[in-house]
Amino acid sequence: MTVQTEGRVLRLPIDENALAEVARLDGCYVIKTDTPAAKASSQQIHNRYKDLAQVEHAFRTMKTGFLETRPHYVRKEKRTRGHVFVVMLAYKIVRYLSEGWKALDCTVEEGIKELNSICATDVLLGDVNYQSVPRPRPMGNDLLQAIQVTLPDAIPSRGVQVDTRKKLTPRK
């Protein structure tokens, strides 16, 4: 492009052919790789590049909000690896639930919150001790059916009491 001057006026002529050529490539991009053409087609390379968006989404999900990988300070490599493994496993479960509940228009957080209302009740009949599992509400039932989970009617009880840290301290 050349700039033309006419006194105090600058003119920038537009080359319509060059503009049309540039417009033809709008939205196009180049992916450069060192993978030989014999190993992967350009479509495969394009698809793997697009998969990076899913990887980035996975790391964002693991680091913030629902799964929150950090801050978790460990000093030994095995413990760090263990923590990251558990978080990645949790992410895999979140992905499975997300896919299963997509048709129900329900996020994983909302689904977990709904299913959190299901809790077993201890039942003692003579020397038989078991936990009765109540029927979930309609939405909870839909969530469980969508991921093909069937709840048992009862769970054998071993009489073991599990406490959270909040409950554990006052009981000591």
Side-chain angles (χ1 to χ4, degrees), residues 19-33:
L19 195 58
E21 180 64 22
V22 171
R24 191 174 68 81
L25 296 175
D26 279 352
C28 294
Y29 50 91
V30 175
I31 301 173
K32 186 177 178 181
T33 181

Side-chain angles (χ1 to χ4, degrees), residues 100-156:
W101 294 341
K102 192 183 303 182
L104 298 174
D105 194 29
C106 178
T107 66
V108 175
E109 290 91 338
E110 292 167 341
I112 296 289
K113 195 171 191 175
E114 174 64 32
L115 293 176
N116 203 24
S117 66
I118 302 170
C119 53
T121 305
D122 284 327
V123 177
L124 181 60
L125 294 171
D127 60 345
V128 177
N129 191 10
Y130 67 94
Q131 292 181 325
S132 173
V133 180
R135 295 289 127 226
R137 297 183 289 220
M139 181 62 180
N141 198 35
D142 293 344
L143 291 168
L144 291 171
Q145 284 180 354
I147 57 172
Q148 301 172 355
V149 171
T150 306
L151 294 178
D153 292 328
I155 302 170

Side-chain angles (χ1 to χ4, degrees), residues 31-46 48-49:
I31 301 173
K32 186 177 178 181
T33 181
D34 61 352
T35 304
K39 285 199 171 193
S41 69
S42 59
Q43 186 61 47
Q44 287 173 316
I45 291 170
H46 175 267
R48 294 305 70 81
Y49 176 75

